[in-house]
Amino acid sequence: MKTKRILVTGGLGFIGSHTVVALQNEGYEVVIIDNLSNSSLDVLAGITQITGKTPEFENIDLREKAAVKSFFDQYTDIEDVIHFAASKAVGESVTNPLLYYENNISTLVYLLHELNKKEGARFIFSSSCTVYGQADELPITEDAPVKKAESPYGNTKQIGEEIIHDTCKTNVDFKAISLRYFNPIGAHPTAEIGELPIGTPQNLVPFITQTAIGKREELSVFGDDYPTNDGTAVRDYIHVMDLAEAHVHALQRLMHGKEKNNYEVFNLGTGKGNSVLEVINSFEKVSGEKLPHKIVGRREGDITAAYADTTKANNELNWKAERTLDDALKSAWKWQQVVKRKEEEEN
């Protein structure tokens, strides 16, 4: 039997590339679509180095409907898609909402158009815990109400989920899962791939590692007056390899017909919250570096705390986050050192 080919859009991005590794490690053949707008071809070499296999790569902009159609005309056997390709900076989405609606919504619609023509296509959607806003109860279950989005980025995830759900209602043969991520961090243990933010990092961990390596002067901790143990905001930080493996489990659930409905939603996190100061302490412990940081005012749109109830994913996907916060930060630091070395070699 011929090995199944899986399409991974945005497969050279942070979570996408780690998921490609997880898929190839399970024996799947992968085709990546990426337009390199927020990634680099070096990632392809990293994936090859880790797995010993080079995935097929197509440089396609999914906003071009004709290009999406011609891809599926060429790759007629592809019925399984994991869709990561999207713009993801909350701040940028506030200043440039139309870019986000075009990039995150039209691309999804064009993909679904093509998959809808097939019998029994399967679709995994990269969603986010931002759909919950500041949840009324912690930990957050999949039944928590979806709140009005705080940003156009968050809104694109909500709308995206609704579009997929509507598609599933009209086509019973089409199966989809939305995976709502909490806060992915870390890198592959080989440090061949990792998180490569372009410009100033929007996320805590790359800002920590760039500060520790001397690229940034100091880390700003936004607010220490939250109603949490130490006053700093609490998030559920999940190792990117745990997250990547969850995508394989989700896809296999659909392949094996284990789904309860043809549209399902799962939270992906560790089930545990860590404060910003706890993350800093963990980083200092695993790296041996002292991290210069200062407390500043709260950042607009930031919520107090969010961490997942992972019971559903643990039971239904037969998956659990195994790696610790220390593991994740150790891998992120190793990756940052590799990035610095490469930058020095290039200069």
Side-chain angles (χ1 to χ4, degrees):
M1 187 181 150
K2 193 171 175 295
T3 311
K4 265 204 169 308
R5 282 204 289 189
I6 315 291
L7 169 61
V8 180
T9 74
L12 296 183
F14 174 39
I15 305 166
S17 59
H18 289 80
T19 301
V20 171
V21 166
L23 286 164
Q24 292 197 158
N25 284 343
E26 281 287 309
Y28 295 106
E29 284 184 26
V30 177
V31 182
I32 292 173
I33 287 180
D34 204 296
N35 70 351
L36 303 176
S37 61
N38 200 19
S39 55
S40 128
L41 269 179
D42 295 346
V43 179
L44 203 57
I47 293 169
T48 307
Q49 193 66 34
I50 294 166
T51 63
K53 287 181 285 193
T54 305
E56 291 179 73
F57 171 68
E58 298 282 353
N59 185 341
I60 292 173
D61 191 324
L62 293 170
R63 289 174 297 187
E64 295 170 17
K65 190 176 185 179
V68 178
K69 183 179 185 312
S70 98
F71 172 85
F72 282 98
D73 288 345
Q74 185 187 341
Y75 292 86
T76 51
D77 62 313
I78 289 184
E79 303 171 319
D80 300 274
V81 177
I82 304 182
H83 180 45
F84 293 103
S87 301
K88 61 173 191 179
V90 171
E92 184 189 36
S93 80
V94 174
T95 53
N96 196 350
L98 289 179
L99 170 73
Y100 275 67
Y101 288 118
E102 181 187 30
N103 210 18
N104 295 6
I105 303 296
S106 67
T107 54
L108 172 66
V109 171
Y110 299 157
L111 282 169
L112 293 176
H113 257 308
E114 296 306 317
L115 289 175
N116 219 10
K117 297 173 187 172
K118 295 174 178 284
E119 273 182 41
R122 291 166 288 260
F123 192 76
I124 307 294
F125 181 57
S126 164
S127 192
S128 166
C129 67
T130 56
V131 301
Y132 298 118
Q134 179 60 70
D136 304 323
E137 288 177 27
L138 293 170
I140 301 169
T141 70
E142 289 81 357
D143 296 327
V146 169
K147 300 269 183 88
K148 182 170 167 40
E150 297 277 346
S151 69
Y153 162 73
N155 204 22
T156 64
K157 291 299 177 191
Q158 292 183 10
I159 295 167
E161 286 194 11
E162 287 169 8
I163 290 169
I164 298 162
H165 192 192
D166 288 343
T167 307
C168 286
K169 277 190 225 167
T170 59
N171 179 354
V172 292
D173 292 329
F174 179 69
K175 302 196 283 195
I177 290 176
S178 288
L179 298 175
R180 293 173 177 167
Y181 314 154
F182 280 68
N183 295 67
I185 60 168
H188 192 271
T190 59
E192 292 287 347
I193 56 174
E195 186 170 10
L196 250 191
I198 292 173
T200 306
Q202 300 295 311
N203 296 335
L204 176 63
V205 171
F207 213 108
I208 285 176
T209 59
Q210 288 189 11
T211 303
I213 209 113
K215 201 171 176 177
R216 311 265 159 213
E217 211 168 300
E218 63 181 350
L219 172 74
S220 293
V221 176
F222 296 106
D224 66 348
D225 57 352
Y226 285 103
T228 59
N229 281 347
D230 58 25
T232 62
V234 166
R235 297 289 181 272
D236 186 338
Y237 296 97
I238 177 170
H239 194 300
V240 67
M241 283 310 300
D242 278 327
L243 189 65
E245 287 157 10
H247 289 75
V248 180
H249 283 256
L251 191 58
Q252 288 172 339
R253 177 179 176 82
L254 299 183
M255 285 175 170
H256 300 150
K258 298 263 180 70
E259 73 284 347
K260 290 183 174 163
N261 297 294
N262 70 329
Y263 178 70
E264 295 181 310
V265 171
F266 293 95
N267 286 340
L268 297 183
T270 64
K272 180 179 185 299
N274 286 103
S275 72
V276 176
L277 290 182
E278 284 172 337
V279 175
I280 291 171
N281 290 338
S282 169
F283 176 78
E284 290 185 336
K285 181 176 76 181
V286 300
S287 69
E289 301 288 325
K290 201 84 190 112
L291 195 74
H293 61 277
K294 65 172 180 197
I295 308 290
V296 297
R298 292 186 185 190
R299 187 169 54 177
E300 196 187 347
D302 273 354
I303 57 176
T304 301
Y307 50 95
D309 183 325
T310 60
T311 310
K312 186 180 175 189
N314 297 159
N315 295 342
E316 308 261 330
L317 294 180
N318 193 22
W319 164 89
K320 191 173 191 299
E322 303 287 355
R323 298 159 181 90
T324 64
L325 180 65
D326 285 358
D327 293 337
L329 291 166
K330 201 172 186 173
S331 67
W333 179 232
K334 184 179 175 186
W335 163 248
Q336 184 69 64
Q337 290 169 301
V338 168
V339 170
K340 187 182 186 191
R341 204 161 56 240
K342 281 182 183 164
E343 283 172 351
E344 285 170 351
E345 283 164 9
E346 283 165 16
N347 295 332

